[in-house]
Amino acid sequence: MMMSQAEHDHTGGQGYPEPIPGQDETPETPWNFVRRLVWRATTTTSKTGDVPTAFVRDEDAAASCKGCRHFVKRKTGGRSCYAWRGRVVQGYRSMSKAIARRKAAAGNDEPPPAYTLEAAIAGRKWNARYVRLTAIGDASICSDHELTEVREQADAAGLDVLGYTAQWAMRGRDRPVLRSMLLASTQTDTATRRAAAAGWMVAQTVDAQRFASAMDAGHITTAGGQRLKLCDHQAAVLDVQHPPTCNQCGLCTVRNMRASGYDGVAFAEHGPTSHGKAWTRLVAAARKAADAAREGAQ
């Protein structure tokens, strides 16, 4: 069934798809559900920090991202989304191959023990404060049972959950567990207004100049009146300071965001898109200006 115009408009024109075909045909129970996440105890991502990180398993990852405007093929090859390019996806592919080999050896479809949430939490770094959903893929493809399991195990370990879903408008409908764990990823003020009206805390990407222009205020106020705090990591990079990691900041958890008084967080769009390249140029210019000022002071 195709999405209606009203449904398309509800997403702010981002056009998210209907739920994955077949996903809801067989009701899942708390004792019988498919786990679509695989886990690593640590990560080398400089922005996030070294926290247990989830990935949607290889056979579901592309379907979980289908419909997101960033998950499109570029004319030069690959995907527009920065998460599907570079070192992160290379490591993901290597991990997926290792998981496939172990599944074949075990003769079942269960995640190998080394790639479970239990193993990731047990093997985490001593200073990890969060678990991340997700580095590759969209966690909205997971059942509420699996997400509840993540929340319960994280809580038991004294960790909180941070992450985002681009599929808030369709797969996130009537799913309080998603709204309690993830921020709605949006790209327009209209989508942010609709997500906030539906009860979501929001993570909106904005163009580089808009982000830079809001540096003095420290936040962006959208056309709908939502107040979005600038990402501390990106703001620090633009100020040429040592940027805090997500593990140090923690704003992008639903609990912390609600306590902050903001409606969400604003990110400058980054990655291989034209807007992302504008952010790269802006950061380079800021660093060049800082270097010149430093040399002039000597």
Side-chain angles (χ1 to χ4, degrees):
M1 182 175 66
M2 297 295 292
M3 180 186 300
S4 69
Q5 184 62 47
E7 289 177 319
H8 184 269
D9 291 343
H10 175 77
T11 71
Q14 293 173 256
Y16 299 136
E18 58 187 309
I20 300 299
Q23 182 178 351
D24 299 320
E25 291 177 2
T26 302
E28 293 182 330
T29 66
W31 56 88
N32 178 30
F33 62 90
V34 177
R35 288 179 174 82
R36 291 184 167 86
L37 298 178
V38 291
W39 292 82
R40 297 300 302 269
T42 60
T43 177
T44 58
T45 305
S46 59
K47 180 180 182 298
T48 306
D50 221 341
V51 298
T53 301
F55 304 78
V56 176
R57 64 183 190 177
D58 187 56
E59 53 265 48
D60 293 320
S64 76
C65 290
K66 185 179 179 182
C68 177
R69 74 167 189 161
H70 293 295
F71 190 68
V72 295
K73 290 185 177 180
R74 303 170 74 235
K75 292 180 180 179
T76 55
R79 299 283 181 178
S80 294
C81 177
Y82 72 91
W84 284 86
R85 299 170 60 84
R87 291 186 301 170
V88 176
V89 77
Q90 290 173 7
Y92 173 70
R93 293 303 183 203
S94 296
M95 179 182 68
S96 296
K97 290 178 181 177
I99 289 173
R101 288 195 298 268
R102 296 190 186 192
K103 282 184 177 181
N108 61 50
D109 195 42
E110 291 296 316
Y115 297 95
T116 61
L117 175 58
E118 294 89 342
I121 289 178
R124 71 188 186 277
K125 291 293 183 65
W126 67 271
N127 60 344
R129 300 167 59 195
Y130 305 97
V131 297
R132 182 190 177 194
L133 292 175
T134 46
I136 296 286
D138 195 294
S140 63
I141 198 173
C142 301
S143 69
D144 285 1
H145 302 303
E146 183 171 15
L147 293 172
T148 299
E149 180 181 71
V150 172
R151 167 62 79 192
E152 290 176 347
Q153 291 198 34
D155 285 347
L159 305 173
D160 206 343
V161 180
L162 59 85
Y164 320 90
T165 174
Q167 310 287 18
W168 57 271
M170 293 300 290
R171 289 194 217 125
R173 288 183 180 180
D174 302 318
R175 296 185 67 188
V177 67
L178 267 181
R179 291 196 300 274
S180 73
M181 296 174 66
L182 302 174
L183 307 187
S185 178
T186 65
Q187 286 79 43
T188 66
D189 284 10
T190 299
T192 291
R193 175 177 58 81
R194 289 172 173 156
W200 292 86
M201 304 306 290
V202 180
Q204 180 177 336
T205 54
V206 301
D207 65 72
Q209 195 53 57
R210 186 180 185 187
F211 187 97
S213 298
M215 287 284 289
D216 289 341
H219 69 273
I220 287 172
T221 301
T222 70
Q226 286 72 45
R227 295 174 69 250
L228 308 178
K229 180 150 185 344
L230 301 186
C231 168
D232 283 347
H233 178 90
Q234 288 188 318
V237 167
L238 201 57
D239 269 347
V240 201
Q241 300 172 357
H242 183 67
T245 64
C246 296
N247 189 47
Q248 294 168 323
C249 172
L251 178 65
C252 288
T253 69
V254 174
R255 290 169 176 169
N256 290 345
M257 189 66 75
R258 292 195 185 282
S260 74
Y262 289 96
D263 298 296
V265 62
F267 294 105
E269 188 169 350
H270 47 290
T273 64
S274 58
H275 290 298
K277 291 177 181 178
W279 170 250
T280 300
R281 290 193 296 270
L282 197 61
V283 172
R287 290 178 175 171
K288 184 176 180 180
D291 290 342
R294 199 160 37 242
E295 290 176 1
Q298 292 178 351

